[in-house]
């Protein structure tokens, strides 16, 4: 007992963080690489990315140092929300290929010692699904798969939605169906009816879907929009779902989702226990075949709510409740102190014995290089890849891809289209971060041979692409690969952590394990500084440059005095104490 107490104290002393040196599960030390399948690689020339395109390029991903790939939804879908409206959870979307294509992808990934993670969308299905169509026909079993409510009659005698709930994609979250004479709930697009998790049949159906794919050899799931699973119990409000209060925001209109405070449709207590039940299914399959499965949950919520997904007491939850603080809390305008606060927040609130994770981009948010600036790409990748815990990379972050321009005429994302605003749609559209991957300077950036791709390729791809960065003496890609190699060092697997805002511009953190110490220095501004790293405990004397950003004036193996370290504008440096 005394030894355990001592180890716990060792972990938390001085605000430091460490991972005890034990055998890590496969997911604890890898990089997860998110692929948006529609935009990665088109193998058949139809302008849409597909599974064969991913299979053909697995060696590229492996050469990055990545060992786990997360695929955005590939299930059968009418594509109103590009795969997040699933009509058949057991089938592959035809545009992306066949089940055989998916099995080929799994087999090749396994041969390369890589894992495949799928995107689970449990909150809703498609209004074209068999389940919903059967509900409209009066099939009681499937009628009860969804959330239905009577409308209300207004002063003019007209039927109106049951309450003021708003969809994430604007307008009412309720849609009337004449066939059953009621409204159904859709917290997202009209074509995405919410599933009713108060129905045990729905709960078991989703568990069976999880079992189906895990039994195929999938290594886990990223779970979409998980905090929307349950609504408040309407019986607490006289049998009618209550209106949600106003958020008080004056920068949005009444049709916006952000106009309300979603206290009755998000973060309900039952949600966490549903996730714990799913974890039991993950563990059940893992025990059968010996492959530990990982669950990643997508939740934009308060940090206290996010960390509840780890588990509660004896109930295990997600190994990776996504940490979006480097997306939501900071950007190019942030100071070094802001960066330190965003990094330390998750480490502070998460349970001591659970892993942190770091995410700076995905298919729903403006690209990292656009939000932070292209000059900061290497520095931000140093933060994501070298902090303690699990790193997540959205495809293109390794080369510094930026948001593409997508005209109103070419916009397809419902979040943008539903604004009906040809001028300001860009504030809502997610198309810019979903433009095709940039492989080379050829037609369509090497993504496709089609005359027209599903979204236009971003401007500037002729210079910003994988092939150019492979050939360049120095590039974001080569820095990323060097950082991925460095992650394999025991310091970054097991080492302790501390951080400092050395001034308003320069953020630094220290990783150490046994006799090795590294200090990572990232300048967030185009301003030169001379900084003193001896503010870190036990950091004195000289250090050697191990990795440096593309435009750094330093060279690898340069020896520098840490008490008076010159830092160029936007420079990122990884130093090893000598």
């Amino acid at each position: 007992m005394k030894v355990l107490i001592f180890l716990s104290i060792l972990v938390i002393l001085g605000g430091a963080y460490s991972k005890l040196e034990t055998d890590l599960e496969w997911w604890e030390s890898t990089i997860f690489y998110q692929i948006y399948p529609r935009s990665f690689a088109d193998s058949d020339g139809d302008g849409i990315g597909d599974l064969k395109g991913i299979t053909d390029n697995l060696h590229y991903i492996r050469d990055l140092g990545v060992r786990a790939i997360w695929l955005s939804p590939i299930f059968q879908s009418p594509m109103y929300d590009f795969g997040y409206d699933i009509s058949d959870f057991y089938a592959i979307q035809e545009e992306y290929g066949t089940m055989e294509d998916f099995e080929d992808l799994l087999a090749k990934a396994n041969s390369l010692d890589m894992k495949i993670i799928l995107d689970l969308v449990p909150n809703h299905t498609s209004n074209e699904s068999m389940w919903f169509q059967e509900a409209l026909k009066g099939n009681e079993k499937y009628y009860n798969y969804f959330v239905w409510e009577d409308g209300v009659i207004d002063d003019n005698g007209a039927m109106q939605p049951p309450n003021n709930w708003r969809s994430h994609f604007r307008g009412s979250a309720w849609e009337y169906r004449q066939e059953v004479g009621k409204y159904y709930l859709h917290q997202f697009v009209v074509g995405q009816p919410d599933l009713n998790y108060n129905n045990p049949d729905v709960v078991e159906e989703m568990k069976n879907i999880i079992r189906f794919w895990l039994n195929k050899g999938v290594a886990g799931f990223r779970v979409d929009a998980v905090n929307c699973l349950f609504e408040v119990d309407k019986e607490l409000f006289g049998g009618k779902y209550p209106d949600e209060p106003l958020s008080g925001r004056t920068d949005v209109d009444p049709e916006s989702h952000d106009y309300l405070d979603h206290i009755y449709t998000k973060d309900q207590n039952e949600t966490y226990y549903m996730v714990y039940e799913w974890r039991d299914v993950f563990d059940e399959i893992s025990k059968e075949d010996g492959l530990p499965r990982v669950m990643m949950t997508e939740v934009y919520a308060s940090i206290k709510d996010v960390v509840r997904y780890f588990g509660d007491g004896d109930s295990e939850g997600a190994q990776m409740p996504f940490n979006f603080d480097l997306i939501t809390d900071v950007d190019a305008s942030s100071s070094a102190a802001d960066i330190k606060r965003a990094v330390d927040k998750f480490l502070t609130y998460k349970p001591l014995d659970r892993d942190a994770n770091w995410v700076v981009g995905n298919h729903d948010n403006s690209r990292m290089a656009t939000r932070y600036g292209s000059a900061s790409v290497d520095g931000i990748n140093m933060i994501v890849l070298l902090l303690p815990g699990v790193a997540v990379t959205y495809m293109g972050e390794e080369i510094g891809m930026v948001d593409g321009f997508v005209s109103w005429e070419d916009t397809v994302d419902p979040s943008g289209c539903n604004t009906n605003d040809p001028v300001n749609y860009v504030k809502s559209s997610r198309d810019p971060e979903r433009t095709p991957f940039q492989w080379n300077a050829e037609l369509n950036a090497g993504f496709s041979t089609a005359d027209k791709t599903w979204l236009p390729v971003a401007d500037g791809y002729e210079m910003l692409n994988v092939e150019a960065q492979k050939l360049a003496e120095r590039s974001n890609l080569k820095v990323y690969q060097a950082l991925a190699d460095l992650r394999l060092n025991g310091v970054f697997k097991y080492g302790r952590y501390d951080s400092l805002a050395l001034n308003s511009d320069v953020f630094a953190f220290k990783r150490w394990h046994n006799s090795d110490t590294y200090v990572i220095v990232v300048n967030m501004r185009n301003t030169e500084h001379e900084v003193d790293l001896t503010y870190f405990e036990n950091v004195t004397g000289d250090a050697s440059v191990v990795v440096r950003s593309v435009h750094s004036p330093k060279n690898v193996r340069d020896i520098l005095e840490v008490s008076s370290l010159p830092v160029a504008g936007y420079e990122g440096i990884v130093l090893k104490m000598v």
Side-chain angles (χ1 to χ4, degrees), residues 330-385:
V330 285
D331 56 23
S333 67
S334 301
S335 68
D338 294 330
I339 299 293
K340 175 176 168 54
R341 180 181 59 186
V343 168
D344 289 351
K345 184 169 76 172
F346 196 83
L347 292 174
T348 300
Y349 279 90
K350 75 169 190 63
L352 279 175
D353 59 346
R354 303 305 168 96
D355 292 280
N357 66 85
W358 310 101
V359 184
V360 286
N362 55 37
H363 62 293
D364 286 335
N365 291 278
S366 180
R367 282 188 169 276
M368 176 262 275
T370 296
R371 295 195 332 274
Y372 284 97
S374 293
S376 292
V377 166
D378 294 333
I380 299 302
N381 278 332
M382 288 176 183
I383 291 171
V384 171
L385 297 184

